[in-house]
Amino acid sequence: MAAVAVSFSAKAQFRQDRSDYEAMFKAGLSYMPFVSNIGDEGPNGYYISDLQHAAGAYFASGVNIKQDFFVGLGLAYNYVAVPKDVIGGNLNGWHCPAAFVDFDYRPLDVEWSPMVGAKAGASYLMADSPYGNTLTPYVELSAGLNWFFRYEYRNMERNYLSLFAEVAFAYTQQSTFVPIRIGVRF
């Protein structure tokens, strides 16, 4: 009876004394091409228009759960401008910081793993537009590829370091964007 009880309580995992939760950070760079405006155009137009794109960086801190799930809080900074103006040396764009809850899921524990994710939070456009500064929701759905660049097991522990690339669909500031992002998880 004791042998049966022991066999039921034992389960296959890498280390019995290691937690299934581990602190993790994500950092990345993104380029967000403008897609369209959504909602009602006010008397002064949309908050973001004229095909303004955004480029920026973000950082998220959170918890990795059994290597598959990441949940954390993130901050981002985006610079919103018309690309041809930036190329021409005109840096009269707008600053747009954001704060969000970041979530992603990697269904496979292999060297190259697909991943899906989402972000939800708020975006603050600091602009000299007729509307001035605006605070709006920020919502994003993404899909990408995660690469464990040092894919190995040492002392029966997983290696969590990875690079990722993702494409997303985002809504903020009465506009939709298609963020293209590269980053690192550590």
Side-chain angles (χ1 to χ4, degrees):
M1 193 70 171
V4 171
V6 169
S7 67
F8 281 128
S9 65
K11 60 182 187 179
Q13 67 182 32
F14 285 88
R15 279 187 44 179
Q16 297 289 336
D17 61 342
R18 183 171 178 165
S19 171
D20 288 336
Y21 304 93
E22 187 167 333
M24 174 169 273
F25 302 98
K26 290 171 57 176
L29 300 173
S30 64
Y31 179 71
M32 298 171 43
F34 174 88
V35 175
S36 67
N37 290 115
I38 292 180
D40 296 330
E41 183 176 4
N44 297 317
Y46 289 103
Y47 300 155
I48 294 177
S49 57
D50 300 326
L51 300 179
Q52 294 164 324
H53 297 209
Y58 85 101
F59 181 80
S61 174
V63 175
N64 205 36
I65 305 168
K66 294 189 178 189
Q67 188 167 351
D68 299 332
F69 295 96
F70 172 82
V71 177
L73 299 176
L75 295 173
Y77 168 80
N78 288 304
Y79 182 74
V80 180
V82 178
K84 67 178 180 164
D85 291 346
V86 173
I87 292 170
N90 179 0
L91 297 178
N92 290 333
W94 300 337
H95 306 283
C96 190
F100 49 82
V101 174
D102 189 2
F103 168 82
D104 71 43
Y105 172 63
R106 294 169 296 172
L108 302 175
D109 183 18
V110 294
E111 185 175 3
W112 293 90
S113 176
M115 62 186 273
V116 294
K119 292 177 179 53
S123 171
Y124 186 69
L125 182 65
M126 297 186 283
D128 58 359
S129 73
Y131 289 105
N133 300 338
T134 57
L135 178 68
T136 64
Y138 181 89
V139 179
E140 177 182 306
L141 297 174
S142 63
L145 187 62
N146 187 79
W147 174 44
F148 292 101
F149 57 89
R150 287 178 39 204
Y151 186 72
E152 59 190 16
Y153 296 119
R154 283 193 172 163
N155 298 325
M156 299 302 286
E157 291 184 5
R158 291 183 176 115
N159 183 349
Y160 289 87
L161 300 174
S162 65
L163 299 175
F164 65 90
E166 63 185 358
V167 176
F169 184 77
Y171 169 78
T172 187
Q173 301 294 339
Q174 295 183 315
S175 302
T176 57
F177 296 92
V178 177
I180 302 165
R181 187 173 294 120
I182 57 171
V184 62
R185 302 163 64 102
F186 55 98

